[in-house]
Amino acid sequence: MTAHPGGRRDRRPAQARSRRRVRHGGQARPHSSWWWSAAVTGLLLHPYLVVALLGDGGDARLALAGRSSILLADLLVLGAGIALAVDARLTQDPLRGSMAIAATLVAVQDAPLVVLATVDPALSSHSYRLTTGHLTTVLVVLAVLHRGRRTVTAPQRPIAGGVLLGLGALGMTLGLHALSAALEHGSGFLSTGEPFDVALMILVGVVLAVIGLQLRHSPLPAWASTRIGVGILAIFAARLWATLTAAASPPPLAVAGVAVFSALTATTAAALLRLSLEQTSDRVARYARIAAEAQAEVKQDREVAHDMRSTAAGIAAAARLLASGQVPPGPRRDALEEMVDSETARLGRTVAARPGPLAVVAVDAVVSPLVLAQEALGHRVAWTPGGHRVLARRDALVEVLVTLVTNAADHAGGQGTTVLSAAIGDRVIIVVSDDGPGIDPDIRASLFQWGAHRSRSTGQGIGLHRAHRLILEQGGTLDLVDDAGAARGTVFVITLPRAPSPAADGG
């Protein structure tokens, strides 16, 4: 489950995944993994089974089919190593990187031996029996996995490392075989007639058991370590059986054991990679949500900063006029002082993030001081009181009107700015228009989007975006009206819910 700000958790991804997986060992386990393993095992055994069931029964052909199945299994283990390497890169998990090295090592060592066994009958038993070289191989695998459990850094090139170790193990296996054959004048393979060989078989089994225990007690999901442990047991039992029986050609149990090991290793690697990809996708989606939330917070902060700058600039200009003595006592000075007081108070509420609830707001009480203050600043605005009342947040409505009237002063040069209001049914419209050059046609469609502004404007494209949002939050609309009959000018229309009249409130 993914967490959201505010403590809510999104259960949908977990519910969707729960239809296909069950929880086991702290991570999701695919239901169908064992079935996939059985299917892959059947594909690997297909050449051998076809010859065994439909062939003429010749030992040579059956042995060739068995080695073909073993070679396919080795190639599949190599594919598992590649999948584990990708998984390790995604998760930065050193253990999975070490598993990729081990799988590649086993495949690179074993596949050439199977090919050599096909070419040279003297080496045939390498493809299915235990040799002195297997002890070296399992010890190297144990060391690689132990390092993966202890280190905190995933290997950078696990496939290359596995190939090098596999080639080294191959050379050592062939060298030990040749040396053993030369010294003992025998086959060079382990046999039950020699106590030393029996001790080597037991030691190989002990090392493989230690490898299984290491995986079982590692951060690897329990279902994955169980499957790989079963695969290790299958291939060891298969090779041990072929060694104990001194088989001259690949016995069915040996071929089946190799196929089971390869299928379990490959399907487990594929399942781990799929889970890692899904977890990576979940993380990317979570980070995208976090980034979107952070971007929204940054935009909100920039909007507030934009409003604060505009408000502070208006307050500073009005304060300079009052201090200069250019505005004599009277209605204009009173309006200017009232504007300074009200805008200062609104600025404080904006900083404190206290927007206030929706309330009945008299449009005239909001617009009239604004118009007088604009005129005191040198921007003449035509306004006729209408006596209308709306349901709105007073501070938000003031900010929107200041933005529209200030834009008219800045971009229309103060030419013919008009504000009027009218009641239409249960709505009240407030129209702010000017006789300026109008809006650039190129930005009309995106005018209320973040960052949209006129080509010659020095603004940031924040004011109209914020004004549009503030009106929408109050259940109203803010629109740019296209007047086909007008060659110049800009017309904005605010629509807000109409408040009941005082008479209706009293009745």
Side-chain angles (χ1 to χ4, degrees):
M1 290 184 289
T2 53
H4 288 277
R8 294 189 301 109
R9 293 192 293 181
D10 184 0
R11 296 180 180 272
R12 289 173 297 174
Q15 289 173 347
R17 288 193 293 267
S18 67
R19 289 192 294 267
R20 295 179 289 115
R21 308 185 195 109
V22 295
R23 292 286 168 184
H24 182 70
Q27 293 195 24
R29 176 173 63 85
H31 277 297
S32 58
S33 292
W34 290 101
W35 292 106
W36 275 112
S37 300
V40 173
T41 301
L43 289 175
L44 294 175
L45 293 175
H46 181 261
Y48 186 76
L49 293 175
V50 168
V51 173
L53 297 177
L54 302 179
D56 57 7
D59 291 339
R61 294 184 62 183
L62 192 60
L64 180 61
R67 285 192 289 270
S68 298
S69 294
I70 294 173
L71 182 60
L72 288 176
D74 289 332
L75 295 177
L76 190 62
V77 172
L78 180 60
I82 296 173
L84 287 167
V86 175
D87 188 13
R89 179 62 62 90
L90 288 174
T91 60
Q92 290 300 305
D93 185 345
L95 176 60
R96 298 188 190 190
S98 297
M99 290 170 61
I101 295 175
T104 306
L105 185 162
V106 170
V108 171
Q109 180 205 23
D110 204 48
L113 291 175
V114 177
V115 176
L116 289 174
T118 303
V119 176
D120 185 357
L123 300 175
S124 176
S125 299
H126 272 299
S127 61
Y128 55 88
R129 287 174 60 178
L130 291 174
T131 68
T132 52
H134 280 109
L135 177 60
T136 304
T137 301
V138 295
L139 286 174
V140 172
V141 169
L142 177 62
V144 168
L145 294 179
H146 181 75
R147 181 182 182 280
R149 287 188 59 197
R150 298 300 180 184
T151 188
V152 295
T153 304
Q156 295 300 312
R157 296 178 177 84
I159 299 301
V163 169
L164 291 176
L165 289 175
L167 292 176
L170 173 62
M172 186 169 292
T173 297
L174 293 176
L176 289 174
H177 171 77
L179 181 62
S180 176
L183 292 177
E184 299 177 9
H185 303 287
S187 65
F189 295 100
L190 300 182
S191 67
T192 56
E194 297 290 336
F196 181 76
D197 289 353
V198 173
L200 284 181
M201 295 181 206
I202 295 174
L203 189 56
V204 170
V206 170
V207 175
L208 288 175
V210 173
I211 291 174
L213 289 175
Q214 278 208 342
L215 292 176
R216 187 67 181 177
H217 294 90
S218 71
L220 200 67
W223 60 265
S225 61
T226 299
R227 290 162 55 81
I228 295 177
V230 171
I232 291 174
L233 177 62
I235 192 171
F236 176 68
R239 288 186 180 274
L240 182 62
W241 171 257
T243 302
L244 294 177
T245 58
S249 63
L253 278 179
V255 178
V258 173
V260 169
F261 166 75
S262 301
L264 286 172
T265 302
T267 54
T268 301
L272 288 172
L273 177 58
R274 185 182 69 181
L275 292 178
S276 296
L277 289 172
E278 291 176 351
Q279 290 166 1
T280 300
S281 178
D282 290 343
R283 284 196 298 270
V284 169
R286 184 168 66 254
Y287 294 153
R289 286 195 298 271
I290 293 173
E293 291 165 1
Q295 184 179 22
E297 290 179 2
V298 170
K299 284 186 176 182
Q300 173 70 14
D301 292 342
R302 290 186 62 184
E303 288 179 8
V304 172
H306 178 274
D307 179 44
M308 290 173 62
R309 284 194 297 268
S310 301
T311 303
I315 293 173
R320 282 195 298 269
L321 279 176
L322 291 171
S324 66
Q326 297 179 20
V327 183
R332 292 181 63 200
R333 187 176 183 89
D334 295 341
L336 206 57
E337 291 176 346
E338 181 183 348
M339 188 273 285
V340 170
D341 292 339
S342 64
E343 286 296 273
T344 301
R346 184 172 70 84
L347 187 61
R349 291 190 293 270
T350 300
V351 173
R354 293 195 299 267
L358 290 174
V360 176
V361 177
V363 176
D364 295 343
V366 171
V367 179
S368 295
L370 171 63
V371 170
L372 290 174
Q374 288 291 318
E375 289 179 350
L377 296 173
H379 178 207
R380 297 188 61 82
V381 180
W383 159 253
T384 302
H388 303 297
R389 307 194 313 162
V390 295
L391 289 174
R393 294 186 178 91
R394 181 184 178 90
D395 286 351
L397 181 56
V398 170
E399 181 181 340
V400 171
L401 287 170
V402 168
T403 297
L404 297 179
V405 174
T406 301
N407 279 357
D410 293 342
H411 303 297
Q415 300 179 37
T417 303
T418 302
V419 181
L420 59 87
S421 64
I424 302 177
D426 61 349
R427 315 290 283 182
V428 172
I429 63 170
I430 305 172
V431 182
V432 180
S433 61
D434 63 63
D435 294 333
I439 302 294
D440 187 344
D442 293 338
I443 67 167
R444 278 182 172 267
S446 59
L447 185 63
F448 297 116
Q449 294 179 9
W450 178 273
H453 56 82
R454 296 172 175 85
S455 58
R456 294 182 297 277
S457 173
T458 59
Q460 300 177 350
I462 296 176
L464 288 177
H465 169 82
R466 178 173 171 82
H468 187 258
R469 182 174 59 80
L470 289 175
I471 292 297
L472 289 178
E473 289 175 354
Q474 300 173 81
T477 59
L478 172 59
D479 299 299
L480 172 66
V481 177
D482 291 321
D483 189 350
R488 295 164 58 84
T490 302
V491 180
F492 287 100
V493 177
I494 300 171
T495 304
L496 288 168
R498 184 179 182 182
S501 64
D505 292 342

